Amino acid sequence: MTEKLSDTARKTVLEPLLESGWEMVEGRDAIAKTYQFKDFTEAFAWMTRAALWAEKWNHHPEWFNVYKTVQVTLSTHDVGGLSSLDAKLARKLDSL
């Protein structure tokens, strides 16, 4: 079962993500990042690749897409905040 990140794990896991452009979401235990692409086709292709990983890991992002911009928010609803799944998916999204 997935658990909410401990204070120690937060420093280890979240610090590299925050350095790579992820931000803490004000008012909730979540991280967010905005991705910019060349055009809508590139953004949608990225979302499709991301969706395959999200489905494989059964961990689905909150996201919003307008033209070439994709805004992603990650939080594990089952634990009421950030978990290792969020960090794992964030790293994968950055690598796509």
Side-chain angles (χ1 to χ4, degrees):
M1 178 171 175
T2 303
E3 295 180 3
K4 195 170 183 177
L5 287 176
S6 67
D7 290 339
T8 304
R10 284 173 178 276
K11 289 183 181 188
T12 306
V13 173
L14 293 181
E15 196 168 303
L17 294 174
L18 297 174
E19 289 172 2
S20 72
W22 288 88
E23 299 177 342
M24 296 301 299
V25 175
E26 189 174 331
R28 61 186 286 211
D29 192 22
I31 55 174
K33 186 171 185 177
T34 299
Y35 293 89
Q36 293 286 332
F37 300 93
K38 182 181 77 174
D39 56 26
F40 177 76
T41 302
E42 190 177 292
F44 196 85
W46 178 86
M47 290 176 72
T48 301
R49 291 190 304 275
L52 294 173
W53 285 101
E55 189 63 20
K56 178 179 180 175
W57 293 335
N58 193 30
H59 190 61
H60 306 91
E62 299 171 24
W63 56 15
F64 181 75
N65 165 245
V66 175
Y67 184 51
K68 64 179 185 174
T69 302
V70 181
Q71 297 171 330
V72 179
T73 302
L74 299 176
S75 184
T76 303
H77 300 282
D78 293 347
V79 300
L82 290 167
S83 75
S84 59
L85 284 173
D86 299 303
K88 181 179 177 180
L89 187 54
R91 288 189 300 270
K92 177 52 77 176
L93 296 177
D94 284 347
S95 75
L96 296 175

